[in-house]
Amino acid sequence: MIGQNTSDTSMTELRERALALLRRFYGYKSFRPGQWGVIEAVMSGRDAVVLMPTGGGKSMCYQMPALLASRGCVVVVSPLIALMNDQVQALTANGIPAAAVHSNNPDSYNREVMDGVYAGKIKLLYISPERLMADIDRWSPDMPVAMFAIDEAHCISQWGHDFRPVYTSLSGLKERRPDVPVLALTATADRLTRDDIVAQLRLRNPYCYLGSFDRPNLTLRAFPNPGPAGRVRYIIDMVRKYPQDSGMAYCLSRKSAETLDAKLRARGIRSCVYHAGLDPAARDAAHKAFLNGTVQVVCATVAFGMGVDKGNIRWVVHNNMPANIESYYQEIGRAGRDGLPAEATLFYSYGDIVTLRQFIAESGRVAVNQEKLRRMDSYAHSRVCRRRVLLSYFSEEAVHDCGNCDICLNPPVRFDGTVLAQKALSGVMRTQASVGVFTLVDILRGSQRQEIRQRGFDRLKTFGVGADLSREEWMDYLGQMIQLGVFEVAYERGNVLRPTPLGMRILRGEEQLELSRYVDPQTAGEHEAARGALAARGADRPVDKALVEYLKGVRKELAAEYGCPAFMIFSDATLEDLARRRPRTMDELLDVHGVGEKKASRFGHRMLRALDAYR
Ligand code: ADP
Ligand code: ZN
């Protein structure tokens, strides 16, 4: 069981045993930051809360206790069947007995699993919250539970961005099994949500680990939305840049996901859609095709992602702005889980804000959500290091610019935007503050749209005074002006623009306004490359690229033979380490990152032979 023998010497022994197990079952040499502290806490019977970003290695915090516990299994509560199945598959591949109980399995199978648990044959039991709370009273009192692990624990909180009412029933766990430690894990929670998790799960003096949210391997970028054609071009560039790897394109609606997918396929790109409107079979097929690499791009709504544990996602593009930083951070966190460089690009627009505000108005939790949206909008418009903005959102100190975001790589060029602001302000004044951003842009650019003529806007003095700028440029500059407080948007009155006192002073020439030059996403990369930033990032890895490609081929053959996704055989990071170390013997092979005994005995000979052949 868990919770006995907590003297110092026994903890040292425990740590040694844990390290041996880590090596044997996973092929890892050391714990990641935070992991051991949490394992130690729960092994001594204490409750714990773990906040680690996606890819930080949360699952080890409950998998290792399952291996260490002398008796009983760890019960893992997980919200998604796909997530459970992936984890069970990955554990089984490492030779660790795990199983999932859920409604997609036949009853007979679920019963068999439970028999295995009672018999002590299963170390990790994955289960949905509904199922757990329905079954727990029927479990016999000697059902050996070593620990409860609550994954995605933020779902329990109203303050979180992803509240799920069924999670609240988990507050009954402590009452049912007061002696069993509870471990709550999440990748996303601000302070309020964190405190709420502790309160609702009735945790007693929990050990808390707040991991760093920094993901230095992710290059962060945000651009004003370049329109549908520009977005497609950008995504095609990504696919060309990473021809062997995959990426995700998040869309705001099912329809836009489908349109994008159709356009990509028309250009010969292996793409698929994923959204909540698909039937379960189609969703499952899309999920599988993406995991095993038959499709390279998934065009998805936010319905996609929770279950995605794929190491080699090299890029994530958001075609629209997410509603809050928590979601955004979680979605981009799916890229670069193997620790190798990956890119996250956000396209934002004023239109997104309007749409999201409408959703929020209908959401019931208006104040919390509006504040979250406001913070997201500031991130998009940030003219300071984006990583610093993100980290400070999660209450983490960041005192240095990161050098790996668009602001650091390609600092915004400032210019005197007073005249632009005056044109916009005067346009608004002449319509008696009766237009929103879109109409204003039409007026400034001299659009011949029927509504413009019907409302007599083509006779205004400001009609066409901004025709020298593109639509995208105007949208960007007006967005900046709103951010800087030149205009207010009357969201409650058809989103019309109203000049603020600051705006009025600028209009009268009493105040200047500095803006940042519009950046075209397509050419932004060239500027960065010119600065040598991209070149430098690739050069610090002295890996034989051709060998890695060759090993990927071997991995693909193995995947086909074993009928499982390639990354389950070995991750990209493992292949890179193989290429770097070029082991000749089984012992040397076991030194490679991500190669444990089980995988060494299953695939080792093939890999060693392949390396030989390559030599
Ligand atoms: P999270 O659940 O926090 O998103 P995971 O638990 O899925 O992250 O871990 C992400 C990846 O890191 C997995 O491939 C996992 O095997 C790997 N990992 C976990 N712990 C370690 C470790 N101590 N050393 C090396 N890799 C690790
Ligand atoms: Zn930066």
Side-chain angles (χ1 to χ4, degrees):
M1 283 304 254
I2 271 180
Q4 280 128 33
N5 289 339
T6 56
S7 69
D8 283 355
T9 44
S10 64
M11 272 304 163
T12 319
E13 274 167 32
L14 191 71
R15 186 181 162 93
E16 265 155 33
R17 259 178 65 212
L19 285 169
L21 292 167
L22 187 69
R23 203 167 235 282
R24 176 164 154 223
F25 283 105
Y26 297 89
Y28 300 148
K29 273 157 220 70
S30 55
F31 285 110
R32 293 244 185 100
Q35 285 177 336
W36 176 249
V38 176
I39 295 166
E40 196 176 18
V42 296
M43 287 307 293
S44 66
R46 207 167 153 190
D47 294 333
V49 179
V50 174
L51 188 71
M52 265 185 207
T54 308
K58 283 185 290 301
S59 3
M60 188 63 75
C61 299
Y62 54 81
Q63 290 177 6
M64 184 51 69
L67 293 174
L68 288 169
S70 52
R71 209 181 134 247
C73 80
V74 167
V75 175
V76 186
V77 178
S78 176
L80 270 189
I81 291 178
L83 194 86
M84 299 189 211
N85 289 344
D86 286 353
Q87 288 237 4
V88 168
Q89 205 183 344
L91 284 164
T92 315
N94 277 336
I96 300 169
V101 163
H102 54 66
S103 51
N104 279 16
N105 290 333
D107 282 347
S108 58
Y109 177 87
N110 286 338
R111 266 198 306 276
E112 233 171 78
V113 169
M114 288 313 292
D115 288 346
V117 172
Y118 278 102
K121 286 195 198 125
I122 291 196
K123 291 268 170 206
L124 285 129
L125 174 69
Y126 287 79
I127 193 164
S128 65
E130 301 85 328
R131 184 92 196 192
L132 172 63
M133 296 323 281
D135 287 4
I136 193 167
D137 291 327
R138 288 204 298 267
W139 287 355
S140 101
D142 51 67
M143 153 87 182
V145 182
M147 173 173 93
F148 291 107
I150 317 296
D151 211 359
E152 313 287 352
H154 59 275
C155 295
I156 205 171
S157 174
Q158 296 257 17
W159 301 111
H161 63 288
D162 195 14
F163 175 56
R164 293 174 187 226
V166 359
Y167 257 69
T168 51
S169 64
L170 293 171
S171 59
L173 269 185
K174 270 282 167 199
E175 213 176 291
R176 308 279 205 316
R177 293 283 179 125
D179 300 331
V180 177
V182 174
L183 170 63
L185 309 104
T186 173
T188 155
D190 55 14
R191 236 201 111 70
L192 271 177
T193 313
R194 246 140 54 198
D195 295 346
D196 203 23
I197 291 172
V198 171
Q200 294 223 40
L201 287 173
R202 321 242 157 105
L203 304 186
R204 287 179 304 231
N205 177 29
Y207 172 87
C208 290
Y209 177 77
L210 304 188
S212 169
F213 271 71
D214 198 4
R215 296 279 312 279
N217 63 319
L218 280 188
T219 307
L220 306 171
R221 294 188 184 86
F223 299 110
N225 204 319
R231 294 195 303 255
V232 170
R233 246 185 324 207
Y234 190 89
I235 291 169
I236 290 174
D237 281 356
M238 281 291 164
V239 173
R240 291 209 182 110
K241 190 165 167 192
Y242 300 105
Q244 304 295 332
D245 298 309
S246 35
M248 303 171 62
Y250 276 108
C251 304
L252 203 55
S253 68
R254 296 172 188 184
K255 193 160 159 282
S256 55
E258 275 161 8
T259 313
L260 178 63
D261 171 61
K263 282 185 185 152
L264 292 176
R265 278 188 290 117
R267 300 286 299 270
I269 287 170
R270 288 177 287 119
S271 157
C272 72
V273 275
Y274 189 104
H275 56 63
L278 299 179
D279 62 68
R283 262 202 273 178
D284 204 40
H287 189 204
K288 287 219 173 78
F290 185 62
L291 284 188
N292 67 25
T294 14
V295 301
Q296 230 184 329
V297 182
V298 58
C299 303
T301 62
V302 291
F304 190 71
M306 257 211 175
V308 184
D309 182 6
K310 180 172 160 74
N312 66 337
I313 299 177
R314 291 273 71 85
W315 55 269
V316 173
V317 168
H318 278 76
N319 287 278
N320 303 89
M321 198 157 77
N324 51 62
I325 290 185
E326 287 95 326
S327 307
Y328 183 61
Y329 202 73
Q330 203 161 45
E331 282 150 24
I332 63 176
R334 289 171 188 132
R337 277 182 157 221
D338 51 12
L340 302 177
E343 306 186 39
T345 300
L346 166 68
F347 291 129
Y348 59 89
S349 73
Y350 169 78
D352 296 342
I353 298 285
V354 172
T355 313
L356 289 168
R357 285 192 70 109
Q358 273 157 10
F359 289 164
I360 288 173
E362 293 151 16
S363 75
R365 293 161 60 221
V366 179
V368 176
N369 289 334
Q370 257 172 18
E371 175 57 14
K372 285 183 190 282
L373 176 61
R374 194 186 64 74
R375 298 291 296 268
M376 183 69 223
D377 194 26
S378 317
Y379 170 82
H381 283 95
S382 176
R383 294 300 188 261
V384 298
C385 172
R386 291 194 200 280
R387 204 170 308 271
R388 294 179 72 166
V389 177
L390 279 185
L391 294 179
S392 75
Y393 184 81
F394 294 109
S395 330
E396 198 174 321
E397 237 174 56
V399 285
H400 298 295
D401 284 356
C402 75
N404 195 18
C405 73
D406 54 349
I407 304 290
C408 290
L409 292 168
N410 191 15
V413 177
R414 294 182 186 279
F415 68 101
D416 183 352
T418 312
V419 174
L420 288 185
Q422 284 169 339
K423 287 180 182 174
L425 285 157
S426 123
V428 166
M429 295 301 285
R430 284 171 199 278
T431 66
Q432 271 76 44
S434 69
V435 296
V437 167
F438 299 108
T439 310
L440 178 61
V441 171
D442 281 342
I443 295 173
L444 293 167
R445 300 193 66 244
S447 154
Q448 294 299 328
R449 213 152 52 80
Q450 197 179 10
E451 188 206 333
I452 299 291
R453 273 182 287 145
Q454 267 168 5
R455 293 175 72 180
F457 293 151
D458 55 342
R459 293 191 300 275
L460 296 180
K461 227 176 129 201
T462 36
F463 184 75
V465 292
D468 52 328
L469 297 186
S470 71
R471 200 181 158 68
E472 285 71 32
E473 284 168 297
W474 267 120
M475 291 299 296
D476 180 34
Y477 294 143
L478 289 172
Q480 292 185 44
M481 290 178 210
I482 294 169
Q483 274 285 317
L484 293 169
V486 176
F487 291 108
E488 250 168 30
V489 183
Y491 290 106
E492 72 290 356
R493 286 193 32 232
N495 306 310
V496 300
L497 291 171
R498 279 193 297 236
T500 60
L502 168 67
M504 293 311 289
R505 291 203 298 283
I506 293 171
L507 185 60
R508 292 194 297 265
E510 297 162 12
E511 197 104 46
Q512 306 263 304
L513 183 76
E514 211 175 57
L515 293 175
S516 306
R517 183 74 61 211
Y518 170 80
V519 181
D520 178 350
Q522 228 69 39
T523 54
E526 293 160 22
H527 293 294
E528 292 175 5
R531 287 166 183 272
L534 290 178
R537 274 213 306 283
D540 59 6
R541 285 187 286 130
V543 178
D544 179 348
K545 284 260 154 65
L547 176 53
V548 175
E549 289 313 312
Y550 175 76
L551 293 175
K552 280 188 185 171
V554 178
R555 176 176 69 176
K556 201 165 168 188
E557 287 168 16
L558 284 168
E561 278 168 38
Y562 284 85
C564 64
F567 71 91
M568 287 262 179
I569 309 268
F570 288 124
S571 70
D572 283 7
T574 298
L575 295 190
E576 299 229 351
D577 205 35
L578 270 170
R580 206 175 288 121
R581 292 168 187 264
R582 304 195 182 198
R584 287 168 187 271
T585 63
M586 267 303 181
D587 269 353
E588 286 174 9
L589 184 71
L590 281 165
D591 277 339
V592 171
H593 172 92
V595 183
E597 278 175 15
K598 177 95 177 188
K599 285 191 179 169
S601 75
R602 276 176 107 181
F603 315 123
H605 286 293
R606 283 285 280 283
M607 281 296 165
L608 290 176
R609 250 190 289 139
L611 284 164
D612 252 356
Y614 187 82
R615 279 184 202 109

